[in-house]
Amino acid sequence: MENTILQPRFKESSHFKDFWTKGNGKQLIEFSGAEVSFNDFEKFAPYFYHVDDIGDQVVRDVYLVKKFHEASKEIEHYIRNGVSESDAIPESVRKLFLQTQKIPDWLDYELIKSGAELCMRSNLDSLISLRDYCLIGGYDYAYLNKPLVATEALKKGAVKRLSETLDFWVNVTRYDALEVHKKGYEFAIKTRLIHSYARISIKKHYKNWDTENWGEPINSWDMMATYIGFSLVFLHSLHKLGNTFSEKEEKGIFHLWKYVGYLLGIPERLLPNDKKQATEYFYLWTSVQPPADKDSVLLAHSLLNESLENPILKYQFQRKNLRYLHICCTWFLLDDEVCRRLQIPDVSNKNAFPRTKWLINKIYDKLVSRQARINKGNKDQMKVLSDYLKITHNSNFH
């Protein structure tokens, strides 16, 4: 596998060119001042076939030799209490925890705090951005979705997947969450091991995995793209919805996700420091991804219909209305072409809600203090999360 030379194989395709010359890619370049080119392609391409070997080894040494709940309990013990050089534990576990317990010298907790505050301050706009731009926009990259298809995420349903994403996102973006042994740190380690577990089971059970074209399952380069979704794409979405942010908050959001990426075992050189770098990195990655396929369309529709299945809202008309609002935001935030590829329904007056939102944000920004918005945003986001967790803990969503 190592000798496969990956090319920017879709750089002449219309979906790639249109995105970067007239779609959201063009907006990202304007937003970030990026200078995109293929000069660094060879530096990044090998990561398409690169995975988190340490995480994979921990799964083999702990999860595959014990009962699942025993393994989880053991890992939780290390998350809460740490490990030392002398502990009698598998070498892989020592490696993983010594790496994640070591604070990298570039880490700045002040910056992480600013990033977390922006996530909270943007309140429901944060959740709209994650759902109607980052998540659904990601479905347009056909190969990126293959692990989801292979692990039968569609059968589990969008409510469960949304709930898991939200649980992770909320828990890593609160105050002090990313300090070693704290809640966000715990979520990062557990997510890392879930990725390893999924990767090992895909390699074992999914015989049709096409490594040459799709890369390794959940490879480091795809992980980079996912984390650029949480930073660059998220920030661009907030900007489109009329939110303003300080330079420190902007730096903070990249710093926060860089550290989460580090905890998740993504190689440091793949983690961008700012929007310019992130856009340049993202440009290279998109050149190896084909446009949406039928799986993409199924994933997108499963997410759109989540509002109808989700029992948080009691009445059918409320659920239909929520679905309509998400569709409006999706058209507003994504390119028309991407929306057509994902077969997002075309609805009437689709700009009314996002434009109103934009206007309200501009006014709200001037009237309400930053700290009050952070507090309210934190409270509202926690409420949405607890609603979701209540539902998924009910038996019918397992």
Side-chain angles (χ1 to χ4, degrees):
M1 197 60 251
E2 293 313 306
N3 54 14
T4 304
I5 305 296
L6 185 66
Q7 299 298 334
R9 49 195 169 193
F10 293 104
K11 70 173 186 189
E12 297 307 326
S13 309
S14 59
H15 75 276
F16 175 80
K17 284 185 167 156
D18 290 348
F19 181 79
W20 290 104
T21 56
K22 49 188 196 203
N24 273 357
K26 178 175 188 266
Q27 292 178 16
L28 286 172
I29 291 173
E30 286 160 6
F31 177 63
S32 68
E35 296 161 38
V36 295
S37 77
F38 287 102
N39 295 346
D40 286 337
F41 186 82
E42 279 70 35
K43 282 187 202 157
F44 287 90
Y47 290 103
F48 201 49
Y49 304 111
H50 174 277
V51 296
D52 169 22
D53 291 326
I54 298 179
D56 291 10
Q57 199 50 51
V58 171
V59 169
R60 287 188 200 102
D61 292 344
V62 181
Y63 284 89
L64 300 183
V65 294
K66 301 187 173 183
K67 290 202 173 81
F68 192 80
H69 70 269
E70 283 170 20
S72 301
K73 218 168 153 172
E74 184 178 324
I75 294 295
E76 257 168 38
H77 172 79
Y78 303 137
I79 288 172
R80 304 238 185 324
N81 306 293
V83 305
S84 71
E85 289 284 4
S86 58
D87 290 353
I89 51 176
E91 191 46 41
S92 58
V93 174
R94 190 190 333 277
K95 263 189 178 155
L96 177 93
F97 283 97
L98 290 177
Q99 181 240 322
T100 57
Q101 283 165 205
K102 181 180 174 291
I103 308 293
D105 26 0
W106 46 260
L107 191 68
D108 177 343
Y109 280 115
E110 241 339 273
L111 268 184
I112 285 191
K113 180 175 176 235
S114 298
E117 287 180 340
L118 176 61
C119 291
M120 293 187 274
R121 180 168 78 73
S122 309
N123 200 332
L124 298 181
D125 282 6
S126 288
L127 306 187
I128 289 173
S129 299
L130 287 171
R131 178 181 181 138
D132 301 336
Y133 190 167
C134 309
L135 259 183
I136 212 161
Y139 293 152
D140 189 42
Y141 301 103
Y143 293 165
L144 181 64
N145 304 320
K146 292 302 169 201
L148 281 176
V149 179
T151 53
E152 303 195 320
L154 274 164
K155 290 198 179 122
K156 292 188 193 119
V159 179
K160 184 125 180 65
R161 206 163 57 253
L162 211 54
S163 170
E164 286 163 359
T165 305
L166 190 62
D167 202 11
F168 169 73
W169 184 85
V170 167
N171 279 293
V172 297
T173 57
R174 301 304 102 170
Y175 283 128
D176 305 329
L178 291 170
E179 287 176 17
V180 178
H181 312 315
K182 294 272 185 74
K183 194 95 193 255
Y185 171 85
E186 173 185 344
F187 264 83
I189 305 288
K190 286 182 173 170
T191 303
R192 178 173 182 172
L193 294 174
I194 288 168
H195 287 154
S196 285
Y197 196 88
R199 180 163 44 241
I200 288 170
S201 73
I202 289 169
K203 301 280 279 188
K204 189 174 163 196
H205 301 295
Y206 196 81
K207 296 291 176 256
N208 307 337
W209 188 268
D210 176 0
T211 307
E212 187 175 340
N213 282 309
W214 304 349
E216 287 289 333
I218 318 176
N219 62 71
S220 298
W221 209 14
D222 284 358
M223 289 290 290
M224 176 206 84
T226 306
Y227 283 80
I228 286 176
F230 283 125
S231 54
L232 173 73
V233 176
F234 174 78
L235 211 54
H236 187 229
S237 181
L238 292 183
H239 169 71
K240 284 180 113 164
L241 290 167
N243 296 276
T244 46
F245 26 85
S246 68
E247 203 177 318
K248 189 173 178 194
E249 285 177 323
E250 185 183 301
K251 269 205 183 104
I253 204 115
F254 283 98
H255 202 69
L256 186 153
W257 289 107
K258 180 177 181 173
Y259 186 46
V260 174
Y262 165 86
L263 293 174
L264 274 152
I266 304 173
E268 273 182 57
R269 62 178 307 183
L270 297 183
L271 299 164
N273 291 308
D274 52 48
K275 61 185 178 190
K276 179 178 182 295
Q277 243 179 5
T279 306
E280 291 162 1
Y281 290 8
F282 188 54
Y283 179 79
L284 295 173
W285 176 83
T286 57
S287 74
V288 303
Q289 292 286 329
D293 59 10
K294 58 182 197 308
D295 290 327
S296 308
V297 174
L298 288 171
L299 284 161
H301 282 251
S302 162
L303 184 58
L304 289 180
N305 295 331
E306 183 269 346
S307 308
L308 303 178
E309 294 161 30
N310 193 329
I312 288 178
L313 293 174
K314 199 169 158 190
Y315 298 107
Q316 199 55 32
F317 78 89
Q318 294 172 300
R319 295 181 191 182
K320 278 187 172 154
N321 187 45
L322 182 62
R323 178 178 184 267
Y324 167 78
L325 295 178
H326 280 304
I327 289 172
C328 293
C329 290
T330 301
W331 276 101
F332 182 75
L333 294 167
L334 293 182
D335 307 19
D336 286 3
E337 249 188 64
V338 173
C339 287
R340 281 194 280 274
R341 275 202 291 272
L342 293 171
Q343 296 172 27
I344 308 295
D346 206 343
V347 292
S348 56
N349 300 328
K350 54 180 179 255
N351 279 331
F353 172 67
R355 292 245 160 92
T356 311
K357 199 142 199 16
W358 187 91
L359 201 65
I360 290 169
N361 279 333
K362 292 294 178 206
I363 298 163
Y364 192 61
D365 211 30
K366 295 188 172 57
L367 294 182
V368 185
S369 82
R370 181 169 179 271
Q371 194 55 52
R373 293 200 318 256
I374 291 169
N375 297 345
K376 182 174 182 344
N378 176 42
K379 203 172 124 217
D380 292 355
Q381 288 173 1
M382 291 308 244
K383 167 85 174 78
V384 173
L385 176 60
S386 83
D387 287 347
Y388 266 93
L389 292 178
K390 258 185 226 134
I391 293 165
T392 48
H393 286 158
N394 288 351
S395 54
N396 53 343
F397 275 103
H398 271 306

